Amino acid sequence: MKKVHGFKTQPSTYSIGLAPTGRARCRLCKQGVDKGDARIVTCAFVRPGRRHDFVSHASCATPALVRSVLSVYGTVRRVPMAGGMDVEAYERVCAQLESVRENTHVG
């Protein structure tokens, strides 16, 4: 009988950046993410060799999303900043995520 190897799950990874195009939809509010909008990208590993990026407006961050980010990085400031984003915009997004964390006692 052939031995079947199971899929070893990997934790999702996250990044904060600016939308390069206006094609994506926010996973949370279902509205379009306009070009240049601050966004959080969740890179989920769905099966061996496959991953999918889920996009959310930074302003739509939920306590569950912040909790997931913190479980991977420990602090909001450790989330990687995607290329093309300036430090001021990154700091604003980090402040939004910290606000969600503090207001809901996450982490």
Side-chain angles (χ1 to χ4, degrees):
M1 181 147 80
K2 186 176 179 182
K3 186 175 182 180
V4 178
H5 297 283
F7 173 53
K8 184 176 180 181
T9 60
Q10 294 179 319
S12 296
T13 59
Y14 303 88
S15 64
I16 298 171
L18 299 177
T21 68
R23 298 183 324 185
R25 292 219 172 272
C26 177
R27 185 174 177 97
L28 302 170
C29 73
K30 310 298 186 216
Q31 299 298 312
V33 179
D34 294 331
K35 182 176 181 174
D37 281 357
R39 68 184 191 158
I40 301 168
V41 178
T42 303
C43 179
F45 298 93
V46 293
R47 63 179 187 218
R50 291 287 305 264
R51 66 179 182 84
H52 187 78
D53 291 340
F54 297 101
V55 177
S56 303
H57 289 110
S59 58
C60 291
T62 63
L65 177 60
V66 173
R67 195 171 21 258
S68 297
V69 169
L70 292 175
S71 73
V72 174
Y73 296 103
T75 68
V76 172
R77 305 276 182 223
R78 290 186 178 166
V79 179
M81 178 174 63
M85 183 171 212
D86 62 79
V87 176
E88 289 179 17
Y90 176 78
E91 290 296 326
R92 281 193 301 273
V93 173
C94 287
Q96 286 177 333
L97 297 178
E98 286 289 339
S99 175
V100 171
R101 183 186 66 81
E102 291 168 1
N103 291 334
T104 58
H105 307 292
V106 175

